[in-house]
Amino acid sequence: MKTLSKQDILMKETYKRLLIIQVLSSLSTFLGPLIDGIIVSDFLGAEYMAAFGIITPITVFMGAIVNIFNAGSQNVAGKYLGQGRADKLSSLLTCTILWAAVLGAIITTILIGFNEQICVLLGAEGETIKMCSDYVKAFAFGVIPTLLMPSLVGFLQLDNGGKTAVTASTVLTITDIILDLLAVFVFKNGMFGIGLATALSVTIAVLILLSHYLKKNISIVFSFKDSIVKDLKKVIVLGLPAATFLICNAIRISVTNNIILDVSGLDDVAVFSIQNTFRPLALAFSLGAGITTLLVCAVISGEENRKSMENELAYILKLGTKIALCVMLVILLCARIPFATIFCVGMSEAFADTVAMVIRLFALSIPFSMINMI
């Protein structure tokens, strides 16, 4: 039986602890759109769900931008920790959050100023243009906090702020559900109200995360002592590979949406939209595992311990494969009830059966996605 060193055992325990936080972080990126998709499908109908699916590439692209900053900063942080330079984490936090906010402001301006043109480019036509445009305009106000939240969660886990991260994710979920229902049943402002609900809920969640930095005796703080540009290139270079998967996914969704629109129409786009809305719930495990792997391996790389690196990667692959197989099995067994049922309140049985089928087909890809992200 192979004997593990104390360092290997410690790194495995650290990986498990960080993985939970990173899964929550990955979920936070898509949690708002996921809740929106359920509410739209259940209470507004298939046509609105099809419109929601047409603009899904926008939220997926946001996830890609998030991964550049989150994965990149965690990788750089891991290297600093491995080199015994924890004092650099404060300037890295400041660099990551500041530049994510700047890029978020640019994207917000583009989405507000050119929302209709973007929706048409993605395939919206006729009445769906207004549905898509209304959501994009409202969602735009939440772009900055959407880009900030996962990175803030990532740094919180390095500073014993895991409870704050869990609280923020919980508040985001509850607030978004309440505001979505108010938008549909009380204010009756449709897609605009649902998009605004997501923007407000993620903003509240980010304010909760930022409250951590008002505490005394914390190690990582916002600091302008060092250059806020110095680490930016490293963050982008190291984060871009993690974002490539989602960038390609956004392109795939957009192309497939347009093919389905040309071949069969809005109902089938609605089915595909439900699958794409459901995907992040499962892929959060893959994305979380990938980013955690970057952080842990960066720490070991900084220590220049090749044997520990090999042991840790072998452990991560085994653990990741087990998690992926479990997630796949749960989805395969529960695809019709409750997963498809959650999205198909008031829909026909045939529609729900089709949704269950595409969810099962997606489930088969989860183990491969996990291995790819690691």
Side-chain angles (χ1 to χ4, degrees), residues 196-252:
L196 190 60
T198 296
L200 290 173
S201 59
V202 73
T203 300
I204 293 170
V206 165
L207 291 175
I208 292 172
L209 294 174
L210 289 173
S211 70
H212 171 83
Y213 296 98
L214 299 177
K215 298 177 181 178
K216 296 179 180 179
N217 302 321
I218 57 174
S219 301
I220 306 174
V221 298
F222 287 100
S223 171
F224 292 91
K225 290 181 179 179
D226 296 320
S227 171
I228 57 172
V229 180
K230 186 178 178 181
D231 288 321
L232 180 62
K233 183 179 178 181
K234 296 178 187 176
V235 169
I236 294 174
V237 170
L238 295 172
L240 195 56
T244 304
F245 170 76
L246 289 176
I247 293 172
C248 293
N249 199 29
I251 296 170
R252 177 191 63 82

Side-chain angles (χ1 to χ4, degrees), residues 34-341:
L34 171 65
I35 295 169
D36 291 350
I38 294 172
I39 299 297
V40 168
S41 181
D42 286 348
F43 301 112
L44 296 182
E47 187 178 7
Y48 281 86
M49 192 62 198
F52 188 76
I54 289 171
I55 55 177
T56 293
I58 295 175
T59 58
V60 176
F61 180 74
M62 289 299 104
I65 301 298
V66 162
N67 263 4
I68 291 176
F69 286 102
N70 189 22
S73 62
Q74 292 299 295
N75 200 324
V76 176
K79 289 182 181 297
Y80 281 149
L81 289 172
Q83 296 166 359
R85 302 169 66 195
D87 59 303
K88 294 292 183 181
L89 295 184
S90 291
S91 60
L92 177 61
L93 165 69
T94 307
C95 169
T96 302
I97 298 304
L98 179 62
W99 287 109
V102 169
L103 183 57
I106 294 171
I107 294 173
T108 298
T109 303
I110 293 171
L111 290 180
I112 292 175
F114 303 96
N115 55 85
E116 284 195 14
Q117 294 90 331
I118 293 171
C119 293
V120 171
L121 184 65
L122 291 174
E125 54 186 22
E127 294 181 0
T128 59
I129 294 176
K130 185 179 186 307
M131 297 177 192
C132 295
S133 176
D134 283 348
Y135 184 87
V136 171
K137 279 188 290 188
F139 175 80
F141 292 103
V143 167
I144 293 177
T146 296
L147 295 188
L148 298 188
M149 184 169 179
S151 293
L152 286 170
V153 170
F155 280 96
L156 281 178
Q157 72 177 355
L158 299 176
D159 199 22
N160 298 315
K163 290 182 179 179
T164 304
V166 173
T167 300
S169 295
T170 303
V171 170
L172 188 159
T173 304
I174 295 172
T175 304
D176 198 21
I177 292 172
I178 293 172
L179 292 178
D180 274 350
L181 292 174
L182 287 174
V184 172
F185 294 109
V186 178
F187 300 110
K188 300 184 186 300
N189 48 8
M191 296 288 275
F192 182 84
I194 288 175
L196 190 60
T198 296
L200 290 173
S201 59
V202 73
T203 300
I204 293 170
V206 165
L207 291 175
I208 292 172
L209 294 174
L210 289 173
S211 70
H212 171 83
Y213 296 98
L214 299 177
K215 298 177 181 178
K216 296 179 180 179
N217 302 321
I218 57 174
S219 301
I220 306 174
V221 298
F222 287 100
S223 171
F224 292 91
K225 290 181 179 179
D226 296 320
S227 171
I228 57 172
V229 180
K230 186 178 178 181
D231 288 321
L232 180 62
K233 183 179 178 181
K234 296 178 187 176
V235 169
I236 294 174
V237 170
L238 295 172
L240 195 56
T244 304
F245 170 76
L246 289 176
I247 293 172
C248 293
N249 199 29
I251 296 170
R252 177 191 63 82
I253 292 171
S254 182
V255 171
T256 306
N257 275 337
N258 282 277
I259 292 173
I260 296 174
L261 277 170
D262 291 339
V263 173
S264 55
L266 288 176
D267 281 351
D268 286 335
V269 173
V271 172
F272 185 57
S273 173
I274 291 173
Q275 186 210 57
N276 288 320
T277 304
F278 178 82
R279 285 171 65 89
L281 187 63
L283 290 180
F285 292 92
S286 302
L287 293 170
I291 294 173
T292 308
T293 301
L294 282 174
L295 172 60
V296 172
C297 289
V299 172
I300 299 173
S301 174
E303 296 172 348
E304 298 183 353
N305 191 330
R306 183 180 180 84
K307 189 63 178 177
S308 290
M309 177 78 79
E310 292 174 352
N311 291 338
E312 187 69 15
L313 282 174
Y315 168 76
I316 289 170
L317 279 171
K318 289 179 182 177
L319 178 63
T321 302
K322 290 177 182 177
I323 292 173
L325 289 173
C326 289
V327 173
M328 181 186 75
L329 183 60
V330 169
I331 294 174
L332 288 173
L333 293 174
C334 303
R336 180 63 176 83
I337 300 173
F339 295 140
T341 305

